[in-house]
Amino acid sequence: MTDRYCVFGNPIKHSKSPLIHEEFANQTQQPMTYTAELAPVEGFASAWRAFVAEGGRGANVTVPFKGDAFALCDTLSHRAKRAQAVNTLIVGGNGRTYGDTTDGIGLVRDLGYHHVPIKDKRVLVIGAGGAVRGVLEPLLAEQPSDVVIVNRTAEKATQLADAFADLGTLHGGGFDTVEGQFDLVINGTSGSLSGDVPPLPDNLFNQGAWAYDMMYGSEPTVFLQWAGPRGAKLLDGLGMLVEQAAESFFLWRNIRPKTAPVRTLLRQSLNIASD
C-alpha cells in the first residue's frame, strides 16, 4: 500500500518539496506519494482533515499555515512548543495529529554540512518573525557566544530575545543597535524576495565570517549580493530546505535519506529554470 504525504501552502505551485521527497522515497525505496496541496487561506484545518480522511499519513506545512498547524495539533514536540509553529504533521495510530518543526534542525545541519562554526561565535539574526522563532532553539543548542536579534520593529526583537533567554546569551533591538562584528549573520526575513536589504553597517563581518540567507534562488539573493563585497562567505537557504525535509521524512518513515545528491539535483533544477 502506498502512503500519502503532501505539503500545504498558499501559494504552493512553486514548491520544491514534491521533488525532494520523490527523490528521498526513490533513494530509500519507500512506498509513498507526495503532492503539493493548495489550501484556502481561511481553511487550512478543513484541508488537513479532508486529507487525513482520504488516507493521508502526514504533511509538511509552509507559508502561511505554520501557526494554523500548531493550533490544530493534539500533541506537540518540545521544539514546536518553543517555536509556536509546526511545519511537520504526523497522523498517529490513534488518528490524533502530532506536530513538530524541523526548520531549525534544517538550518543547523546545513551550516554543519558547509563546516560553518557556531560554537563560541557571535551570531546576528535579522528578523523576528516565525522563520526566526523556528530556528532559535536548535541554533542556541550549538552554544554560540551570543546571539543578537535585530528587526525593523525593535520591540519584536526584544520580546523574542526575552522568550529564549533561558537557552543562551541573547539580545534584541532595532537595526540602529547593531554593534561590533559577527562571525555569522543570518537573514531570516523575506526581504530578499522584494529586493530589500536591511540597513546594516558595512563593517559587520569578522574575518572569515559567513552570511546566510534563508531565501534561495538561481542567483545570489540581494542580501548575499550586499554581504559578498563586505568580506563574507555566502550561503543561501537551499540546503536548509533539503535538510528540514530530510528530518520530516525521518519522522514519517523512520529512515534517514542522504541529502547530498538531492542538494545537487535541486541546485541543477534552479539553474536550468533560470536559463
Side-chain angles (χ1 to χ4, degrees):
M1 181 178 174
T2 301
D3 293 330
R4 291 186 59 199
Y5 298 88
C6 75
V7 56
F8 285 107
N10 190 326
I12 198 59
K13 195 174 181 179
H14 67 287
S15 176
K16 299 292 185 184
S17 293
L19 172 62
I20 293 170
H21 284 282
E22 180 182 359
E23 291 300 314
F24 287 163
N26 291 338
Q27 181 193 118
T28 58
Q29 299 182 312
Q30 292 294 296
M32 57 181 283
T33 62
Y34 188 106
T35 56
E37 302 291 333
L38 180 71
V41 172
E42 300 298 330
F44 172 74
S46 296
W48 166 246
R49 287 193 290 268
F51 181 72
V52 173
E54 294 166 2
R57 300 298 307 152
N60 285 128
V61 183
T62 188
V63 175
F65 298 125
K66 293 183 182 183
D68 299 89
F70 176 82
L72 68 75
C73 288
D74 300 303
T75 311
L76 292 159
S77 71
H78 169 77
R79 58 195 180 197
K81 289 178 183 176
R82 287 301 302 242
Q84 294 184 15
V86 160
N87 81 331
T88 305
L89 294 169
I90 305 167
V91 180
N94 55 4
R96 292 165 66 83
T97 298
Y98 174 81
D100 205 341
T101 179
T102 64
D103 287 330
I105 287 176
L107 171 66
V108 169
R109 288 200 179 135
D110 189 34
L111 291 169
Y113 181 89
H114 291 283
H115 307 291
V116 179
I118 304 174
K119 185 177 173 61
D120 298 327
K121 301 298 183 181
R122 289 200 81 209
V123 179
L124 177 69
V125 180
I126 306 164
V132 169
R133 189 178 190 99
V135 304
L136 282 178
E137 183 179 20
L139 187 65
L140 288 162
E142 297 299 307
Q143 300 179 312
S145 62
D146 67 314
V147 173
V148 177
I149 304 169
V150 291
N151 191 59
R152 289 193 191 281
T153 306
E155 185 181 6
K156 287 185 178 180
T158 303
Q159 290 172 348
L160 199 53
D162 290 344
F164 286 82
D166 59 310
L167 301 180
T169 304
L170 271 168
H171 309 280
F175 291 122
D176 59 344
T177 65
V178 177
E179 293 181 351
Q181 294 179 308
F182 294 86
D183 304 293
L184 172 62
V185 179
I186 300 171
N187 182 23
T189 74
S190 58
S192 289
L193 299 178
S194 57
D196 181 31
V197 178
L200 296 166
D202 286 335
N203 61 341
L204 192 64
F205 301 100
N206 273 328
Q207 186 172 2
W210 290 83
Y212 190 103
D213 198 329
M214 290 189 193
M215 300 291 109
Y216 66 91
S218 56
E219 301 292 334
T221 67
V222 292
F223 170 70
L224 296 182
Q225 290 175 35
W226 175 85
R230 289 161 178 80
K233 294 181 279 188
L234 310 179
L235 278 176
D236 69 12
L238 182 139
M240 175 181 171
L241 175 69
V242 176
E243 294 295 341
Q244 64 82 24
E247 184 66 15
S248 294
F249 189 91
F250 174 74
L251 291 171
W252 294 326
R253 310 302 296 180
N254 199 31
I255 186 169
R256 196 171 294 284
K258 295 177 182 177
T259 56
V262 181
R263 286 168 173 268
T264 301
L265 177 71
L266 207 57
R267 186 67 70 185
Q268 288 172 344
S269 75
L270 287 178
N271 292 336
I272 291 169
S274 68
D275 289 343

